[in-house]
Amino acid sequence: MISLVMAVVLAISDFYASPVGQKSLKLLPELQGRLFNLGAAAGAEVGQEAMRRTLESLLPTERPTT
């Protein structure tokens, strides 16, 4: 749980009441959405590569001849 001092709460409130704070309230949801999509794509790519490497290490590509 976060414990905030009244001065910090008031400073945060003042920021969001300012023009910069108002602009950030409008822009941050779109930015978060874009970053989420980029992160999801990067994570999927890394996950697929990790799975490929794991399978390569577990499954031999050549069978020994007898």
Side-chain angles (χ1 to χ4, degrees):
M1 183 156 103
I2 299 174
S3 175
L4 297 176
V5 187
M6 184 56 85
V8 174
V9 173
L10 292 174
I12 293 169
S13 177
D14 289 344
F15 169 76
Y16 284 113
S18 74
V20 172
Q22 288 295 302
K23 188 168 185 175
S24 70
L25 286 173
K26 291 179 184 174
L27 296 178
L28 283 176
E30 180 183 347
L31 179 61
Q32 288 173 322
R34 287 182 181 185
L35 292 175
F36 175 84
N37 291 335
L38 288 172
E45 189 176 317
V46 169
Q48 289 173 359
E49 178 63 16
M51 179 59 81
R52 184 189 64 76
R53 287 182 180 184
T54 300
L55 291 174
E56 281 181 357
S57 70
L58 295 175
L59 303 173
T61 55
E62 295 180 24
R63 295 183 182 201
T65 58
T66 56

